[in-house]
Amino acid sequence: MPTFFLDNPLGLVSAIAIPILVALYFWQRKATSKIVPAIFLWPAENRSSNAGAKWRITRLPLDFYQFLLAIILLILAAAVPYVVTNQKFPPLNIILDDSMSTQAGKTKEKAIDHIESVARKFPQRRFLVYLAGHKPTLIHDDSKLPNLAQIWLPGKSNADLKAALAFAKNNCPSAEYIIVTDHIPTFEIPEDTAYVAFGKSFNNLAIVNAKRNDDKILLELANAGDKQANATLIVNKAQQQLDFKPDERKSLVVKCDETIAEIHLKAQDDQLEADNYAMLVNDYKPPVNVKIHDAIPEKLKNAIRRTIQTNINLAEKADAQPELIIEPASEDTPHSASRILWYLPADENAAISDAPIVPVTAHPILDGVPLGNLIWPANHNQQIPGTTLLAQASTTLLAIQNKQNNAFDLMINLHQSLGNVHRNPAWPTLFENIAQYIKANRPGPTQANYTDNESIQLNLHSIDATKITHATQDSKTTINTDNSKKIVLEATNGLHQFTTESHTWNVAVNTLDPEESDLTNAASFKKDIATQIKFRQATKSNIAWLLALLAILVLIPRFNYP
Amino acid sequence: MTSTVSNIIATACTMAQNIKLAPIRNAAGFDGTKIGRKSGNALEFVEYRDYQQGDDIRRLDWNILARTDKLLVKQYAQEIDPRCDIVIDQSASIQAGEGKPDAALAIAAILAIAADNAAFSTTIWHAHDNWTKDPFPTTPENWTNLDFNATLSPGQNAKFHLEKIQKRGIRFIISDFLWPQNPIELLQAFANGAIKTVAIQLLNPDEINPPPGGIATLIDPENNERRLLNLDEKTIGSYKQAIKNHLELWNNAAIMTGTQFIQVNAEAFSKAPNLEPFLKAAIIQYL
C-alpha cells in the first residue's frame, strides 16, 4: 500500500501564509469599498444564516475557495511529497551504543532526534533496535520506531559495536544499518551502514577500577582531561579530599569494615556521574581446609605443608571439616570432599622423560602454571582415570574427575622425590589454583564483586533450594532452580541479593572502565549509507509537480478576469 | 465654492449669455410673460368687482358709490413676473457619481441665466435636508450652500418643501432620480400648480453600465447602508436590469404627469458643458 511522505517538511512552514493571506483577503474585502448613488438597485448580499443565530456568516465566493485551494496545493508541493511502497524499503537496524559514556552531555538526545528524523522519512518500514553492550541484544522488532528514550538506557562499561553490527547483519541481512554512538569509528564501516556519533569531549573524574578483599579496598581513580580537579572520596561515611593533576591516575587503599562499601567520588560539574559510583561487597572466603592422609610420604607431606603455610587460601585444621583431602591413590577412601589422589610410583617404575609437559585440557587449575624446566618423575606406564590435564608424551601426569557434589578428584602421577616440581613456581601456583577452584565452587556466588561484562554464577550444590529470591534496587524476582546446581545470570549494574531458606548472598556489579571514563575520546562523526540514495530513488515517486499542476488548473478560470 | 465649481459655473454663465428660456405654451393660455389676476398696482384697468372685506379702500370707485351706493372696486391688471424655480438635488448620492455635482450646478446656472434673460423671476432651491432659497439666484457666481451632503433625497422630502414653491411657474428639478420612492408621487406633486415641469436626470455611463470587478463593499452615502458583493457578471447583470426598470419607471411617470424628462451624461457635461440637450428639448432658445 503506497504511503505519502514529505521530503522537505520545512516547506510546510509556508502554511503560516494561509492565515495571513486569509486575513489580508478579508481586510482587502473590507478595504475595497465603492460609493454608489442607488444601493437599492444592487442585489442583496448573498447570506446564509441559521434560525436564531446571532451572527450571520457571509458565504464566501468561489474565488476565495479557488485561491485557498491553490495556495494549499502549492504549500504541499513546496513540502515535496512523494509516494513510496513500504515493502520496497529494507529494514533499518539501529545499533545503539549503550556504554555509560553516552550519558555524558546531550549525546543521547541528539542521537534520538537524528534517528527519529531518519525514521520519519520512511516511518512504515521495519525497525530493529539493538543494544550493543558487551553482548548485542535485540530489543525491538516492529514496523514502528519505539520510544528510544525509554529503551535506550546507557550504563554498560563497554559496547562492542563491531560485534553488534555483525549480530545485526546475521539477524537481518539485506537491510540498512545505523550505528549510534559518541565516538569516531574504530573499525571500517561497511557501505550499507551509517555511523553517527554525537559525542563531545569533556574532562571527567572517575573511579576506573575497584577491588576488595575482606576489609581492604583498592581504588583506582583517574582525572581524564587537561585540567586540574579536586573531589571528595566518600566510602560509606568516611570522606577524604583529593586533588588531581591533569591526566593523573591515583591508586588508593581504603579500609572498610562494613559488608557493603558504597564508594562515591564526588566532583563538581562532572559530565558523567555513572563512573563516580562503585559498590563492593566483602569478598572474604575462609581458606580451604586441607587434610593430609597419614600414608602420604614424609617428604611430600612436608612440601605440601610448606605450601599451605605460605598460602592464605589454604589451611590445615584438624578440628574442621576438610574440603580437600590429599591421600595416596592406593587409599581411595570415598569422601564427598575434593581429593588429590597421589599416584606414587615405586622407585623402579619412576622415570624422567625429556618430552615436553603439555596441557591437554584447559582448566582453571592450570591457569598460570609454568610448565617449562619441570623435572617430573612419573610412572610412564600408569593408567590414570578421568580427564587428562597435563601429559608428557603419552603419560598422564595430571587428571581430574568431577564428582556429583561439584567436588573433584585430582589425580597426580608424581614420584615422592618430586623431581624439581616442589621447587618450581608451578607448585605453589597449582595449589593456589586448586584452592581458588574449590572456593569458587562453594555454594553461593563464585565471587562477590563482578563487572558488568561478566555473568553472576551461583553454585547450588549441597544447597537444598528449589527457589531463590533475587532482589535488586529496582526489582525482586523468584528464580526456580529446577534442581540445577548452577545458575548463571546477567550481571547488571548495582547490588544483587540472593536469598534461599538457609542462605543470603550479596553480589555487587560495577561498570568501571578506564577507556569508557575517558570522555576526551568522545567526538562527533557522521557517515551516511552509501547505498541509501539508490534505495530511495528507486522506490519513491515525487508528486510535488502534480500538486503544482493542480494548483494551476484551479487558477486557470481566474486568468479570464480583466 | 471650490475653484473647479467656480470655473464650471463661470463657463456655464458665459454660455448662457445669449440664451433665454423658451416661451411657455400650455393649456391655461398664458405665455408666462405678463398677466396676473389679482388686483395690482398696474395702470391698465380691467374690470369692477364687489368690494370685499380687506380690499384696499383706496381702490373703491367713489364715483359709482356716489351715484349708485354700490361698493365696487376697480380691478387693474396685475403686473406679474413669470416665475422659474430650479431645484438642485444636493443629496449625498449626487456626489457619488463623477462630475455629477459640477454638472448639476452648471445646468442650474445655465437655466438661471436663461430664465433671467427671459425676464423670469427665478428661484434657486438648494434641496438639502431642508430646502433653502439661494439669495442670489441670477448670479450663480455668488451661489452659496453648494455642498452635496443631504441625507434625504427629494424623493423623501420634496412633498414637505414643494408647497414653498409659488404656483404658475416653470419648474426644473435637477437630480439623478435614483431613489426608491414612487416617481409618480414626486412628479405629480412637482407638477401641481406649475405651468411646466422639467426633470433633468444626471447619470454617468458607468452608473447605467458598470464594469465587473472584484469583491467590494458598496456604500450608500445617504443612509450608510453597506452591501458586500462580488461584482461579477451575474451581479452586474442584475444591477443593469434593475436600473433599466428604474429608468423606465421614471419615463412612464414623466409621461403620465406631463413632465418633460431630459437625460444628461453628467460626466461628459462636467468636462464639456453644452447647450445641446436643452436646445434640443426646446427648453431654451437663443436671444
Side-chain angles (χ1 to χ4, degrees):
Chain A
M1 185 178 164
T3 312
F4 292 90
F5 298 105
L6 302 176
D7 213 10
N8 178 23
L10 279 178
L12 293 178
V13 171
S14 50
I16 59 172
I18 292 179
I20 294 169
L21 289 172
V22 169
L24 279 173
Y25 173 80
F26 281 101
W27 177 80
Q28 188 262 349
R29 273 163 58 106
K30 283 224 164 209
T32 307
S33 59
K34 187 175 177 183
I35 294 174
V36 293
I39 205 164
F40 67 95
L41 294 175
W42 291 92
E45 277 182 23
N46 196 1
R47 290 169 184 268
S48 62
S49 64
N50 296 325
K54 189 173 180 183
W55 301 99
R56 292 191 303 169
I57 299 169
T58 302
R59 188 178 296 161
L60 296 166
L62 181 62
D63 297 352
F64 173 82
Y65 295 107
Q66 281 178 324
F67 277 118
L68 188 62
L69 180 60
I71 289 168
I72 290 170
L73 288 170
L74 287 172
I75 285 169
L76 286 175
V80 194
Y82 57 90
V83 182
V84 295
T85 308
N86 300 327
Q87 291 82 345
K88 289 184 180 176
F89 280 91
L92 180 63
N93 289 262
I94 302 162
I95 297 155
L96 302 174
D97 178 349
D98 59 342
S99 65
M100 62 181 170
S101 64
T102 49
Q103 293 177 29
K106 293 188 174 176
T107 300
K108 190 177 164 188
E109 289 84 349
K110 286 179 182 174
I112 290 175
D113 286 348
H114 178 76
I115 296 167
E116 286 177 346
S117 71
V118 169
R120 264 197 300 274
K121 292 184 178 178
F122 305 94
Q124 299 300 316
R125 69 200 302 191
R126 183 180 164 201
F127 294 101
L128 297 95
V129 181
Y130 305 83
L131 291 179
H134 304 287
K135 284 187 291 185
T137 317
L138 175 65
I139 55 169
H140 178 88
D141 184 354
D142 193 34
S143 60
K144 284 183 181 172
L145 188 69
N147 186 334
L148 292 172
Q150 286 181 356
I151 63 171
W152 183 12
L153 303 170
K156 299 273 172 56
S157 62
N158 196 8
D160 190 343
L161 298 175
K162 192 174 181 181
L165 179 61
F167 177 74
K169 288 194 168 193
N170 184 56
N171 181 54
C172 181
S174 302
E176 289 182 355
Y177 309 89
I178 181 167
I179 295 171
V180 187
T181 180
D182 65 343
H183 58 267
I184 57 173
T186 54
F187 57 95
E188 192 175 340
I189 307 301
E191 282 197 343
D192 58 358
T193 304
Y195 188 102
V196 286
F198 294 97
K200 189 178 176 186
S201 178
F202 292 112
N203 290 333
N204 187 34
L205 269 178
I207 304 169
V208 295
N209 213 341
K211 298 282 182 191
R212 179 170 183 176
N213 186 4
D214 200 359
D215 60 347
K216 289 191 179 65
I217 295 170
L218 171 64
L219 293 175
E220 280 187 54
L221 313 174
N223 174 26
D226 54 2
K227 291 181 183 171
Q228 282 199 326
N230 51 62
T232 306
L233 178 68
I234 305 168
V235 180
N236 288 355
K237 289 179 182 174
Q239 296 190 8
Q240 62 175 300
Q241 291 294 323
L242 299 171
D243 292 320
F244 292 88
K245 294 173 187 168
D247 276 325
E248 186 185 0
R249 198 151 164 170
K250 285 181 191 290
S251 295
L252 295 175
V253 176
V254 183
K255 204 169 175 194
C256 178
D257 294 327
E258 287 95 338
T259 308
I260 299 167
E262 290 184 42
I263 303 153
H264 181 194
L265 184 65
K266 193 174 179 183
Q268 282 191 333
D269 302 328
D270 202 300
Q271 290 291 333
L272 185 59
E273 280 285 307
D275 58 7
N276 291 46
Y277 292 91
M279 193 174 284
L280 292 168
V281 173
N282 191 334
D283 202 14
Y284 175 72
K285 288 180 178 173
V288 174
N289 192 27
V290 182
K291 183 185 176 186
I292 305 171
H293 197 280
D294 291 341
I296 291 290
E298 204 59 31
K299 186 181 179 184
L300 178 55
K301 199 182 283 180
N302 289 338
I304 295 169
R305 283 200 170 123
R306 279 197 299 275
T307 305
I308 291 171
Q309 285 163 6
T310 56
N311 191 322
I312 59 167
N313 292 313
L314 295 169
E316 187 180 12
K317 293 179 182 173
D319 54 346
Q321 278 289 325
E323 284 182 278
L324 177 66
I325 297 167
I326 302 173
E327 61 183 9
S330 55
E331 296 294 324
D332 198 9
T333 313
H335 200 283
S336 61
S338 294
R339 296 183 303 174
I340 296 177
L341 297 177
W342 216 285
Y343 284 78
L344 295 163
D347 292 346
E348 62 274 21
N349 295 331
I352 295 169
S353 170
D354 290 335
I357 299 171
V358 293
V360 177
T361 308
H363 196 279
I365 284 176
L366 294 181
D367 285 352
V369 175
L371 300 175
N373 304 320
L374 276 177
I375 299 169
W376 192 299
N379 184 351
H380 291 274
N381 298 315
Q382 179 71 52
Q383 293 298 312
I384 306 284
T387 307
T388 301
L389 299 181
L390 280 183
Q392 189 172 36
S394 59
T395 305
T396 297
L397 303 180
L398 193 66
I400 193 166
Q401 197 164 33
N402 291 320
K403 297 197 285 192
Q404 280 189 339
N405 60 354
N406 214 30
F408 59 88
D409 285 340
L410 189 70
M411 277 70 75
I412 298 181
N413 179 7
L414 177 62
H415 186 257
Q416 59 178 318
S417 64
L418 299 176
N420 72 344
V421 175
H422 64 297
R423 294 193 300 271
N424 191 283
W427 182 264
T429 307
L430 187 65
F431 277 89
E432 168 67 12
N433 287 351
I434 291 167
Q436 293 291 357
Y437 188 63
I438 291 171
K439 276 185 169 182
N441 283 286
R442 284 174 179 165
T446 54
Q447 58 197 69
N449 298 300
Y450 291 87
T451 56
D452 68 337
N453 59 349
E454 297 172 312
S455 297
I456 299 172
Q457 292 185 32
L458 284 180
N459 293 320
L460 299 176
H461 61 85
S462 75
I463 300 275
D464 188 17
T466 54
K467 287 182 181 176
I468 297 173
T469 305
H470 175 206
T472 64
Q473 190 178 355
D474 305 319
S475 66
K476 188 172 185 179
T477 55
T478 302
I479 304 167
N480 289 316
T481 62
D482 296 330
N483 295 322
S484 76
K485 295 300 177 188
K486 186 177 272 187
I487 289 176
V488 179
L489 294 168
E490 187 185 354
T492 56
N493 190 27
L495 186 69
H496 300 250
Q497 190 173 68
F498 299 93
T499 310
T500 66
E501 288 178 1
S502 55
H503 293 79
T504 296
W505 302 295
N506 289 315
V507 167
V509 179
N510 292 296
T511 55
L512 304 177
D513 186 276
E515 285 185 21
E516 196 61 25
S517 293
D518 189 354
L519 297 180
T520 56
N521 292 328
S524 290
F525 183 84
K526 191 172 180 185
K527 175 202 164 289
D528 285 328
I529 297 170
T531 53
Q532 192 178 37
I533 297 163
K534 202 164 136 190
F535 269 126
R536 293 181 182 172
Q537 281 178 343
T539 52
K540 72 180 184 184
S541 305
N542 192 324
I543 57 167
W545 64 271
L546 183 63
L547 295 175
L549 182 65
L550 278 173
I552 292 167
L553 287 175
V554 167
L555 287 175
I556 278 179
R558 296 290 310 168
F559 298 158
N560 296 328
Y561 276 71
Chain B
M1 189 183 290
T2 64
S3 59
T4 313
V5 172
S6 299
N7 289 342
I8 197 161
I9 285 178
T11 306
C13 290
T14 306
M15 290 174 68
Q17 289 303 314
N18 298 319
I19 58 167
K20 65 172 184 176
L21 284 188
I24 301 166
R25 313 237 177 251
N26 66 3
F30 296 97
D31 63 3
T33 52
K34 289 291 179 183
I35 305 299
R37 284 197 169 181
K38 285 184 180 174
S39 57
N41 295 317
L43 297 175
E44 188 179 349
F45 171 75
V46 177
E47 60 183 348
Y48 287 104
R49 66 166 174 79
D50 291 338
Y51 173 79
Q52 293 173 0
Q53 193 173 351
D55 280 346
D56 188 349
I57 200 165
R58 290 175 298 174
R59 300 292 174 199
L60 273 171
D61 191 329
W62 294 100
N63 293 327
I64 292 174
L65 177 61
R67 287 197 302 267
T68 64
D69 292 340
K70 285 184 178 176
L71 288 170
L72 295 174
V73 292
K74 282 182 182 174
Q75 195 161 13
Y76 299 92
Q78 186 187 13
E79 206 171 25
I80 56 170
D81 292 333
R83 298 200 54 79
C84 175
D85 292 274
I86 301 167
V87 179
I88 307 169
D89 175 5
Q90 290 186 218
S91 61
S93 67
I94 298 291
Q95 192 87 46
E98 188 181 347
K100 278 165 82 173
D102 292 348
L105 293 172
I107 291 168
I110 289 169
L111 293 175
I113 301 291
D116 191 45
N117 289 345
F120 276 67
S121 175
T122 306
T123 303
I124 296 294
W125 294 94
H126 296 292
H128 287 106
D129 291 345
N130 281 312
W131 290 18
T132 54
K133 286 183 186 177
D134 195 282
F136 308 104
T138 56
T139 52
E141 299 91 340
N142 298 324
W143 286 351
T144 55
N145 216 359
L146 299 183
D147 294 333
F148 287 77
N149 55 9
T151 57
L152 298 173
S153 68
Q156 292 167 288
N157 65 3
K159 56 188 172 186
F160 306 113
H161 301 292
L162 283 172
E163 292 174 358
K164 299 176 187 172
I165 300 178
Q166 291 191 26
K167 298 186 185 305
R168 296 193 173 277
I170 181 168
R171 297 175 183 174
F172 295 93
I173 181 165
I174 305 165
S175 173
D176 55 9
F177 303 109
L178 295 178
W179 56 73
Q181 285 77 19
N182 187 349
I184 292 177
E185 284 182 19
L186 175 87
L187 291 182
Q188 270 181 343
F190 195 60
N192 186 24
I195 299 167
K196 181 175 182 175
T197 50
V198 179
I200 300 169
Q201 186 177 37
L202 300 172
L203 283 178
N204 285 340
D206 64 354
E207 288 174 336
I208 299 169
N209 189 18
I215 290 167
T217 302
L218 305 186
I219 304 169
D220 189 315
E222 287 172 15
N223 57 17
N224 210 28
E225 184 182 338
R226 289 159 185 267
R227 287 185 190 178
L228 181 64
L229 289 174
N230 182 17
L231 303 181
D232 56 8
E233 297 287 356
K234 187 182 171 188
T235 307
I236 296 295
S238 171
Y239 171 82
K240 282 182 183 174
Q241 188 59 47
I243 198 164
K244 185 182 169 192
N245 294 342
H246 185 77
L247 296 178
E248 208 170 288
L249 205 63
W250 274 91
N251 275 316
N252 291 339
I255 292 166
M256 288 170 66
T257 57
T259 302
Q260 193 173 0
F261 201 76
I262 302 169
Q263 208 173 66
V264 176
N265 181 335
E267 191 178 349
F269 194 90
S270 67
K271 289 173 184 167
N274 65 88
L275 303 174
E276 193 181 339
F278 311 112
L279 290 169
K280 198 172 171 183
I283 293 171
I284 55 172
Q285 58 185 210
Y286 286 104
L287 289 172

